[in-house]
Amino acid sequence: LPAVRSSVAGAVTMEKLTTYAHVTGYNNFYEFGTDKSDPAANAGTLKPRPWTVQIEGEVKKPGTWDIDALMKLAPMEERIYRLRCVEGWSMVVPWLGWSLAELVRRVEPTGNAKFVEFVTLDDPRQMPGLRSRVLDWPYVEALRMDEAMHPLAMLVFGVYGEILPNQNGAPVRLMVPWKYGFKSGKSIMKIRFVEKQPTTSWQAAIPQEYGFYSNVNPKVDHPRWSQATERRIGEDGLFAKKRQTLMFNGYEAQVGQLYAGMDLKKFY
Amino acid sequence: MNRWLLHPAAKPVVFLLALLPFATLLGGALTDSLGANPAEALIRGTGEWALRCLWLTLAVTPLRLWFGWTALLRLRRMLGLFTFFYALLHFTAYAWLDQGFALEAILRDIAKRPFILVGTAALLAMLPLAATSFNRAVRAMGGRRWQALHRVVYAVALLALLHFLWMRAGKQLFGEVAVYGGLLAVLFGARLHAWRQRHRAPALHRAAPGKG
């Protein structure tokens, strides 16, 4: 998948990449099972072609995009993002895609569009994990409009120079590097523009533990574990000290102003 | 079954079997084959084996009552001590790999997070049981007092289950917790049933002469 290196500020970290094996073998994707090795083992049943993405809600140009047409909407960029999971581990991943804002601008949101909702496929024939009732399916994630318009919020079609493997959310997923990983919906089939703040899947499941914003924040702990530190997968040795988690996962300079004046303990 | 359990090799065999998970985890750590997140694998692995050993320890009495496998009693102390061993490894792995042995951070973490507090409480409650596990302690304390103390194991089991439940609740994974909970209910139920039968029998006995 040809791409150029991104020129968006903060989009290319110089840190050491997490290996391809770890990026594609250690995943949380509950639609294929709850163990982190499950997605790699079970995602073969997902059919990423043909695929359409439906744009609906408060936009002047709703419609259905074929995945191959959607991929050509903007020049493919390679971006190297830190990925911080809410569970306390992190990776550095070379994604391929472009800013979500490109699509948002193209479909022309109306004045009523305040939030963007991302709906993951929920076909039990393709996704064996849907038979478990861990969450209410389909998986729903959402961003505030200004978050969605931030150039770092990215629609992803590939990783490590290749088309996205199924277990990483083929054929199209979101990547919002300053938020915990679960905010970045995978295998997206619907993007909906809405006026009211949507209830996201994890928020609906355990509201006291997972909030709408879920920004990476070392000062706001998860109720059952600290978020102050993290372990970089494949790099931080077993007995190495865990590394400090950075505010907004190290993207504070780029995204801090989105949350100016907000109490991030309250809006976790 | 009893004859097998009384075989001289029975104890060493069970000992080696109970040591196998430790050997596997240690080998995995040394050869870096515990997957992408070895720290998590070690912390979870030792915790799960502590749970399993505790459930096995608690299964001795019901199995004895149901099937008459009285010789299982010979293995109970060892299973109990393996529970303590894995629980101690579990805590050590947490304190080392997760907290870097930073005492202040560990204390803060225990105070702040109920599920860690509960797990720590379970480990601490096991201390006196492990410390009085040798024969001389039973003689020194007297059988009745020793037994009363060792009933703390029921509280340990409930704390351990709660610890496991709270850990898994963060990810809505209740399947395994339900299995452990169900098994514990059976193990407790067997004891309750036996206790009620013991206490009903003498009562009937006393009532009999009155009725003439």
Side-chain angles (χ1 to χ4, degrees), chain B residues 25-59:
Chain B
L25 288 171
L26 185 67
L30 293 175
T31 57
D32 194 19
S33 58
L34 290 174
N37 197 341
E40 190 185 80
L42 284 176
I43 295 171
R44 300 233 166 133
T46 48
E48 279 170 19
W49 280 104
L51 265 184
R52 288 178 192 138
C53 286
L54 180 53
W55 263 232
L56 283 174
T57 312
L58 289 170

Short mmCIF file of all heavy atoms in Angstrom, two decimals, chain B residues 25-59:
data_model
loop_
_atom_site.label_atom_id
_atom_site.label_comp_id
_atom_site.label_asym_id
_atom_site.label_seq_id
_atom_site.Cartn_x
_atom_site.Cartn_y
_atom_site.Cartn_z
N LEU B 25 6.03 -21.50 34.12
CA LEU B 25 6.09 -20.04 34.11
C LEU B 25 7.54 -19.55 34.19
O LEU B 25 7.94 -18.63 33.48
CB LEU B 25 5.28 -19.46 35.27
CG LEU B 25 3.75 -19.55 35.14
CD1 LEU B 25 3.07 -19.15 36.44
CD2 LEU B 25 3.25 -18.66 34.01
N LEU B 26 8.32 -20.20 35.06
CA LEU B 26 9.72 -19.81 35.21
C LEU B 26 10.47 -20.04 33.90
O LEU B 26 11.20 -19.18 33.42
CB LEU B 26 10.36 -20.62 36.34
CG LEU B 26 11.80 -20.24 36.69
CD1 LEU B 26 11.85 -18.83 37.29
CD2 LEU B 26 12.41 -21.25 37.66
N GLY B 27 10.24 -21.21 33.29
CA GLY B 27 10.87 -21.52 32.01
C GLY B 27 10.47 -20.50 30.96
O GLY B 27 11.32 -20.01 30.20
N GLY B 28 9.20 -20.15 30.95
CA GLY B 28 8.70 -19.16 29.99
C GLY B 28 9.37 -17.81 30.18
O GLY B 28 9.72 -17.12 29.22
N ALA B 29 9.55 -17.44 31.46
CA ALA B 29 10.18 -16.15 31.75
C ALA B 29 11.64 -16.16 31.31
O ALA B 29 12.14 -15.18 30.74
CB ALA B 29 10.08 -15.83 33.23
N LEU B 30 12.33 -17.26 31.55
CA LEU B 30 13.76 -17.33 31.22
C LEU B 30 14.00 -17.39 29.72
O LEU B 30 15.01 -16.87 29.22
CB LEU B 30 14.40 -18.54 31.90
CG LEU B 30 14.45 -18.48 33.44
CD1 LEU B 30 15.00 -19.77 34.02
CD2 LEU B 30 15.29 -17.29 33.91
N THR B 31 13.07 -18.01 28.99
CA THR B 31 13.26 -18.12 27.54
C THR B 31 12.47 -17.07 26.77
O THR B 31 12.39 -17.12 25.55
CB THR B 31 12.83 -19.52 27.04
OG1 THR B 31 11.46 -19.72 27.43
CG2 THR B 31 13.67 -20.62 27.66
N ASP B 32 11.87 -16.14 27.53
CA ASP B 32 11.09 -15.06 26.91
C ASP B 32 10.02 -15.61 25.96
O ASP B 32 9.88 -15.16 24.83
CB ASP B 32 12.01 -14.08 26.17
CG ASP B 32 11.28 -12.79 25.82
OD1 ASP B 32 10.25 -12.52 26.45
OD2 ASP B 32 11.74 -12.07 24.91
N SER B 33 9.28 -16.60 26.43
CA SER B 33 8.23 -17.17 25.58
C SER B 33 6.86 -17.04 26.23
O SER B 33 5.99 -17.89 26.06
CB SER B 33 8.56 -18.63 25.28
OG SER B 33 8.68 -19.36 26.47
N LEU B 34 6.67 -15.97 27.01
CA LEU B 34 5.37 -15.77 27.67
C LEU B 34 4.49 -14.81 26.89
O LEU B 34 3.53 -14.27 27.41
CB LEU B 34 5.59 -15.24 29.10
CG LEU B 34 6.18 -16.24 30.10
CD1 LEU B 34 6.48 -15.54 31.42
CD2 LEU B 34 5.25 -17.41 30.33
N GLY B 35 4.84 -14.60 25.61
CA GLY B 35 3.99 -13.74 24.79
C GLY B 35 4.40 -12.28 24.86
O GLY B 35 5.49 -11.95 25.34
N ALA B 36 3.52 -11.43 24.35
CA ALA B 36 3.85 -10.02 24.19
C ALA B 36 3.96 -9.29 25.52
O ALA B 36 4.68 -8.31 25.64
CB ALA B 36 2.80 -9.34 23.32
N ASN B 37 3.25 -9.78 26.53
CA ASN B 37 3.25 -9.09 27.82
C ASN B 37 3.59 -10.06 28.93
O ASN B 37 2.72 -10.53 29.67
CB ASN B 37 1.86 -8.46 28.04
CG ASN B 37 1.88 -7.40 29.13
OD1 ASN B 37 2.79 -7.36 29.95
ND2 ASN B 37 0.86 -6.56 29.16
N PRO B 38 4.88 -10.40 29.05
CA PRO B 38 5.27 -11.45 30.00
C PRO B 38 4.95 -11.10 31.46
O PRO B 38 4.62 -12.00 32.23
CB PRO B 38 6.78 -11.59 29.79
CG PRO B 38 7.21 -10.39 29.03
CD PRO B 38 6.02 -9.89 28.28
N ALA B 39 5.03 -9.83 31.80
CA ALA B 39 4.74 -9.45 33.19
C ALA B 39 3.30 -9.82 33.54
O ALA B 39 3.01 -10.43 34.57
CB ALA B 39 4.96 -7.95 33.38
N GLU B 40 2.39 -9.46 32.62
CA GLU B 40 0.98 -9.77 32.85
C GLU B 40 0.77 -11.28 32.91
O GLU B 40 0.03 -11.79 33.75
CB GLU B 40 0.13 -9.16 31.74
CG GLU B 40 -1.35 -9.23 32.04
CD GLU B 40 -2.20 -8.74 30.87
OE1 GLU B 40 -2.40 -9.51 29.91
OE2 GLU B 40 -2.62 -7.58 30.93
N ALA B 41 1.46 -12.02 32.02
CA ALA B 41 1.31 -13.47 32.01
C ALA B 41 1.75 -14.07 33.34
O ALA B 41 1.12 -15.00 33.85
CB ALA B 41 2.12 -14.06 30.85
N LEU B 42 2.83 -13.56 33.91
CA LEU B 42 3.32 -14.08 35.19
C LEU B 42 2.39 -13.72 36.34
O LEU B 42 2.06 -14.55 37.19
CB LEU B 42 4.72 -13.54 35.49
CG LEU B 42 5.87 -14.17 34.70
CD1 LEU B 42 7.19 -13.49 35.02
CD2 LEU B 42 5.97 -15.67 35.03
N ILE B 43 1.94 -12.47 36.36
CA ILE B 43 1.06 -12.04 37.45
C ILE B 43 -0.25 -12.82 37.39
O ILE B 43 -0.72 -13.36 38.39
CB ILE B 43 0.81 -10.51 37.38
CG1 ILE B 43 2.13 -9.76 37.62
CG2 ILE B 43 -0.23 -10.09 38.40
CD1 ILE B 43 2.06 -8.27 37.37
N ARG B 44 -0.82 -12.91 36.20
CA ARG B 44 -2.10 -13.62 36.07
C ARG B 44 -1.92 -15.12 36.31
O ARG B 44 -2.73 -15.75 36.97
CB ARG B 44 -2.68 -13.40 34.68
CG ARG B 44 -2.91 -11.92 34.42
CD ARG B 44 -4.31 -11.65 33.97
NE ARG B 44 -4.55 -10.21 34.08
CZ ARG B 44 -5.11 -9.47 33.15
NH1 ARG B 44 -5.49 -10.04 32.03
NH2 ARG B 44 -5.30 -8.20 33.34
N GLY B 45 -0.84 -15.68 35.73
CA GLY B 45 -0.62 -17.12 35.85
C GLY B 45 -0.48 -17.56 37.30
O GLY B 45 -1.12 -18.53 37.72
N THR B 46 0.33 -16.85 38.07
CA THR B 46 0.52 -17.24 39.47
C THR B 46 -0.78 -17.06 40.25
O THR B 46 -1.12 -17.89 41.10
CB THR B 46 1.63 -16.40 40.12
OG1 THR B 46 1.41 -15.02 39.81
CG2 THR B 46 3.00 -16.81 39.61
N GLY B 47 -1.53 -16.01 39.94
CA GLY B 47 -2.81 -15.79 40.63
C GLY B 47 -3.80 -16.89 40.33
O GLY B 47 -4.47 -17.41 41.23
N GLU B 48 -3.87 -17.27 39.05
CA GLU B 48 -4.82 -18.33 38.69
C GLU B 48 -4.46 -19.65 39.35
O GLU B 48 -5.34 -20.40 39.79
CB GLU B 48 -4.87 -18.49 37.17
CG GLU B 48 -5.75 -17.43 36.52
CD GLU B 48 -5.63 -17.40 35.01
OE1 GLU B 48 -5.16 -18.39 34.42
OE2 GLU B 48 -6.00 -16.36 34.42
N TRP B 49 -3.16 -19.93 39.47
CA TRP B 49 -2.77 -21.20 40.10
C TRP B 49 -2.99 -21.17 41.61
O TRP B 49 -3.29 -22.21 42.20
CB TRP B 49 -1.35 -21.59 39.72
CG TRP B 49 -1.36 -22.21 38.35
CD1 TRP B 49 -0.96 -21.65 37.18
CD2 TRP B 49 -1.89 -23.50 38.01
NE1 TRP B 49 -1.20 -22.49 36.12
CE2 TRP B 49 -1.76 -23.65 36.61
CE3 TRP B 49 -2.46 -24.54 38.73
CZ2 TRP B 49 -2.18 -24.79 35.92
CZ3 TRP B 49 -2.88 -25.68 38.06
CH2 TRP B 49 -2.74 -25.79 36.68
N ALA B 50 -2.88 -20.00 42.20
CA ALA B 50 -3.22 -19.89 43.63
C ALA B 50 -4.69 -20.24 43.82
O ALA B 50 -5.06 -21.01 44.72
CB ALA B 50 -2.92 -18.48 44.13
N LEU B 51 -5.53 -19.68 42.94
CA LEU B 51 -6.97 -19.98 43.01
C LEU B 51 -7.22 -21.48 42.84
O LEU B 51 -7.96 -22.09 43.62
CB LEU B 51 -7.71 -19.26 41.89
CG LEU B 51 -8.36 -17.91 42.15
CD1 LEU B 51 -9.11 -17.47 40.90
CD2 LEU B 51 -9.32 -17.94 43.31
N ARG B 52 -6.60 -22.06 41.82
CA ARG B 52 -6.85 -23.48 41.54
C ARG B 52 -6.40 -24.35 42.71
O ARG B 52 -7.11 -25.27 43.11
CB ARG B 52 -6.11 -23.89 40.27
CG ARG B 52 -6.77 -23.31 39.04
CD ARG B 52 -6.02 -23.66 37.76
NE ARG B 52 -6.55 -22.82 36.69
CZ ARG B 52 -5.80 -22.22 35.78
NH1 ARG B 52 -4.49 -22.38 35.79
NH2 ARG B 52 -6.36 -21.47 34.85
N CYS B 53 -5.23 -24.05 43.27
CA CYS B 53 -4.74 -24.85 44.40
C CYS B 53 -5.68 -24.72 45.60
O CYS B 53 -5.96 -25.70 46.29
CB CYS B 53 -3.34 -24.40 44.81
SG CYS B 53 -2.07 -24.94 43.65
N LEU B 54 -6.18 -23.49 45.82
CA LEU B 54 -7.08 -23.29 46.95
C LEU B 54 -8.37 -24.09 46.76
O LEU B 54 -8.86 -24.74 47.69
CB LEU B 54 -7.39 -21.79 47.11
CG LEU B 54 -8.32 -21.40 48.26
CD1 LEU B 54 -7.82 -21.98 49.58
CD2 LEU B 54 -8.43 -19.89 48.37
N TRP B 55 -8.88 -24.09 45.56
CA TRP B 55 -10.12 -24.83 45.29
C TRP B 55 -9.89 -26.34 45.47
O TRP B 55 -10.73 -27.05 45.98
CB TRP B 55 -10.63 -24.51 43.90
CG TRP B 55 -11.70 -23.44 43.84
CD1 TRP B 55 -12.91 -23.54 43.23
CD2 TRP B 55 -11.67 -22.11 44.41
NE1 TRP B 55 -13.63 -22.38 43.38
CE2 TRP B 55 -12.89 -21.47 44.09
CE3 TRP B 55 -10.73 -21.38 45.15
CZ2 TRP B 55 -13.21 -20.17 44.49
CZ3 TRP B 55 -11.04 -20.08 45.55
CH2 TRP B 55 -12.26 -19.50 45.23
N LEU B 56 -8.70 -26.80 45.03
CA LEU B 56 -8.36 -28.21 45.21
C LEU B 56 -8.25 -28.55 46.70
O LEU B 56 -8.74 -29.60 47.15
CB LEU B 56 -7.03 -28.53 44.52
CG LEU B 56 -7.09 -28.69 43.00
CD1 LEU B 56 -5.69 -28.86 42.43
CD2 LEU B 56 -7.96 -29.88 42.62
N THR B 57 -7.63 -27.65 47.46
CA THR B 57 -7.50 -27.88 48.90
C THR B 57 -8.88 -28.02 49.52
O THR B 57 -9.14 -28.90 50.35
CB THR B 57 -6.76 -26.69 49.55
OG1 THR B 57 -5.59 -26.41 48.78
CG2 THR B 57 -6.37 -27.01 50.98
N LEU B 58 -9.78 -27.14 49.09
CA LEU B 58 -11.13 -27.15 49.66
C LEU B 58 -11.97 -28.32 49.15
O LEU B 58 -13.02 -28.63 49.70
CB LEU B 58 -11.85 -25.83 49.32
CG LEU B 58 -11.33 -24.60 50.08
CD1 LEU B 58 -11.93 -23.33 49.50
CD2 LEU B 58 -11.65 -24.69 51.56
N ALA B 59 -11.48 -28.97 48.10
CA ALA B 59 -12.23 -30.11 47.55
C ALA B 59 -11.94 -31.40 48.33
O ALA B 59 -12.67 -32.39 48.20
CB ALA B 59 -11.87 -30.31 46.08
#
